[in-house]
């Protein structure tokens, strides 16, 4: 199993994190974005969108971080991470959609500005980040995990960009439930840390 990866990508970290939580062996294949590796024909043959991560499971190619999470949970029949019942599956899917939407256009986008100079309006994406963080804080007020009474793909999908939100100048100090949840995720067996940078002015 190979994972095409960029160390500072929160999307790629989602896949690394879940592989670690499952205890699965894999080979990391670094993709050099600065050199344009993601736009070269050999990579585009794996993922025409030119994005990381990409999982190569003995010739089965899965692109998109959330798709990788679902693939691995389903392949290994880990219904603890991805419930099979309609209500449990829907609860997880709701947060996978948040990860691809509000998280991507909030804390992820804010971090892209400070780390990579992305051309977003920084104040606007920081404001978006706080909108979704308030909702996550509210969701965690009466429960330990986002979608069940134990960790699921919902928690894996949201962790990376929320944990590194301060690198995008998004202050996590107003969100005690979110910060406690981050600590719980980091205590899970097989947890894989996400590399920190010295960017951002906000204090976690």
């Amino acid at each position: 199993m190979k994972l095409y990866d960029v160390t500072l990508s929160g999307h790629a970290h989602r896949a690394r994190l879940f592989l670690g939580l499952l205890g699965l062996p894999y080979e990391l294949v670094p993709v050099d974005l600065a050199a344009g590796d993601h736009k070269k024909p050999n990579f585009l043959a794996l993922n025409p969108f030119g994005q990381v991560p990409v999982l190569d499971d003995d010739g089965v190619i899965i692109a998109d971080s959330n798709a990788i999470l679902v693939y691995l949970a389903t392949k290994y029949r880990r219904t603890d991470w991805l419930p099979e019942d309609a209500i449990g599956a829907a609860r997880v899917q709701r947060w996978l959609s948040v990860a691809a939407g509000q998280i991507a256009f909030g804390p992820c986008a804010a971090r892209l500005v400070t780390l990579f100079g992305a051309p977003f309006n920084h104040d606007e994406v920081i404001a978006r980040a706080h909108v979704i963080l308030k909702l996550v804080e509210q969701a965690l007020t009466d429960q330990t995990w986002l979608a069940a009474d134990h960790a699921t793909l919902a928690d894996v999908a949201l962790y990376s960009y929320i944990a590194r939100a301060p690198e995008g100048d998004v202050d996590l100090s107003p969100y005690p439930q979110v910060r406690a949840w981050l600590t719980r995720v980091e205590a899970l067996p097989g947890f894989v840390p996400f590399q920190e940078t010295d960017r951002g002015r906000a204090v976690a």
Side-chain angles (χ1 to χ4, degrees):
M1 192 179 295
K2 297 180 181 178
L3 182 69
Y4 291 81
D5 174 83
V6 173
T7 302
L8 292 178
S9 165
H11 288 76
H13 179 256
R14 278 179 199 157
R16 292 199 306 274
L17 173 56
F18 195 45
L19 285 163
L21 293 171
L22 293 181
L24 295 173
Y26 63 96
E27 174 189 351
L28 273 181
V29 182
V31 178
D32 188 342
L33 298 185
D37 285 356
H38 59 306
K39 299 299 183 184
K40 294 178 180 177
N42 59 339
F43 187 83
L44 291 174
L46 298 173
N47 182 6
F49 288 88
Q51 299 169 335
V52 292
V54 175
L55 183 72
D56 181 350
D57 184 13
D58 195 24
V60 175
I61 307 301
I62 308 295
D64 181 85
S65 58
N66 287 344
I68 290 170
L69 300 185
V70 170
Y71 171 80
L72 291 171
T74 303
K75 176 180 178 178
Y76 292 98
R77 301 181 180 179
R78 294 301 301 265
T79 56
D80 49 342
W81 291 101
L82 180 59
E84 289 183 322
D85 67 283
I87 294 175
R91 286 173 176 166
V92 169
Q93 181 57 60
R94 176 197 184 198
W95 290 107
L96 294 182
S97 297
V98 169
Q102 292 98 319
I103 294 294
F105 295 104
C108 170
R111 184 172 174 270
L112 287 173
V113 173
T114 57
L115 265 66
F116 305 108
F120 300 120
N121 181 310
H122 203 195
D123 290 338
E124 181 178 316
V125 293
I126 288 173
R128 288 180 187 168
H130 284 293
V131 170
I132 187 56
L133 284 168
K134 288 175 184 176
L135 292 173
V136 175
E137 177 78 6
Q138 181 180 358
L140 291 167
T141 298
D142 297 318
Q143 59 195 57
T144 304
W145 303 99
L146 288 170
D149 60 0
H150 58 274
T152 66
L153 294 188
D155 304 285
V156 177
L158 265 64
Y159 171 81
S160 305
Y161 284 117
I162 292 181
R164 295 292 168 265
E167 295 179 351
D169 291 339
V170 178
D171 188 1
L172 293 181
S173 63
Y175 310 107
Q177 301 299 332
V178 168
R179 289 184 283 110
W181 166 78
L182 292 174
T183 300
R184 288 193 291 274
V185 174
E186 291 158 5
L188 292 170
F191 173 79
V192 176
F194 187 13
Q195 181 175 317
E196 297 184 54
T197 78
D198 60 358
R199 302 297 177 88
R201 298 186 299 273
V203 178

